[in-house]
Amino acid sequence: MRVRPISPDLLVTELAERLARTGTPGRLRVALDGPPAARPDALAEALVDPLRAAGRPVLHVRAGDFLRPASVRLEHGRTNPDAYYESWLDEPGLRREVLDPAGPDGSGRLLPSLWDAAADRASRAAYVDLPPGGVVLVSGALLLGGALPFDVTVHLVLSPAALARRTDPALRWTLPAFARYADEVVPASFADVVVRADDPRRPALVEAA
């Protein structure tokens, strides 16, 4: 393996070009996986316009809009790292409302958000039709451990020291969950694209030698 330093702008350009070239039956389902400190949502947002310019319709879905209700999510407390790791994300809902409809035999009728975690109620979002050839970008944390059906996976990885340094103090209770994810799932070993994101100004692509 080799690590190739790259600028943030060039990273977006290369990822967009790769995704624009990737063909699948129907629509392309892309995971942008990483802890909040790696800013996967921001990377997804940056990819939207280049992909549209390349002729690919795009929908960006945030995993944070597919959390379980507080009664389930916070059953073991508000700062339980094991619950955060195992049960915060509503994987069945994400699959039912986004990934399956975007799949080869899917309808293309996607729900961009399911749950408003701040208000703790359904988001009441309207369905969106993503045409064949479209790309759905799903961004968020801990996306690659549950066998969700993605066509392309991008994993943003930080060293433990960088993750601890860059994580908001209010979210440092999540650090054991990310350590567990790295040990049990090892997403950097199988993701299609691995980006080292210790310094947001100086990312690097991990590539086969």
Side-chain angles (χ1 to χ4, degrees):
M1 307 296 290
R2 70 185 183 96
V3 177
R4 175 165 63 94
I6 191 170
S7 71
D9 288 345
L10 187 55
L11 173 64
V12 170
T13 298
E14 290 194 10
L15 279 177
E17 290 175 350
R18 174 172 179 159
L19 296 176
R21 292 194 306 266
T22 302
T24 58
R27 301 151 192 89
L28 187 67
R29 300 165 295 183
V30 181
L32 294 159
D33 172 66
R39 304 182 67 218
D41 292 347
L43 178 57
E45 280 296 318
L47 289 168
V48 169
D49 285 344
L51 285 169
R52 286 178 177 161
R56 301 293 293 265
V58 183
L59 176 65
H60 175 205
V61 172
R62 294 172 177 80
D65 292 327
F66 282 80
L67 299 183
R68 289 190 166 96
S71 60
V72 177
R73 195 172 72 249
L74 307 180
E75 181 181 4
H76 300 290
R78 294 183 176 273
T79 58
N80 186 299
D82 290 325
Y84 178 75
Y85 178 76
E86 296 170 358
S87 60
W88 273 42
L89 180 63
D90 184 356
E91 291 185 356
L94 183 58
R95 183 167 190 153
R96 180 184 68 249
E97 302 291 357
V98 177
L99 298 175
D100 285 349
D105 300 317
S107 66
R109 188 169 181 261
L110 279 57
L111 189 67
S113 67
L114 180 62
W115 196 257
D116 182 338
D120 198 34
R121 61 169 175 78
S123 65
R124 303 190 181 107
Y127 282 89
V128 174
D129 290 320
L130 186 67
V135 179
V136 56
L137 303 169
V138 180
S139 61
L142 309 173
L143 294 177
L144 305 185
L148 290 171
F150 292 108
D151 302 303
V152 178
T153 55
V154 179
H155 177 58
L156 306 174
V157 61
L158 286 80
S159 68
L163 180 59
R165 184 175 64 251
R166 290 181 49 199
T167 294
D168 187 307
L171 294 177
R172 284 185 181 160
W173 63 269
T174 65
L175 293 175
F178 290 110
R180 184 177 168 190
Y181 184 57
D183 290 341
E184 295 183 2
V185 178
V186 200
S189 70
F190 64 83
D192 297 303
V193 179
V194 177
V195 181
R196 288 192 180 176
D198 284 4
D199 185 338
R201 301 163 301 176
R202 299 178 179 84
L205 283 168
V206 180
E207 302 172 325

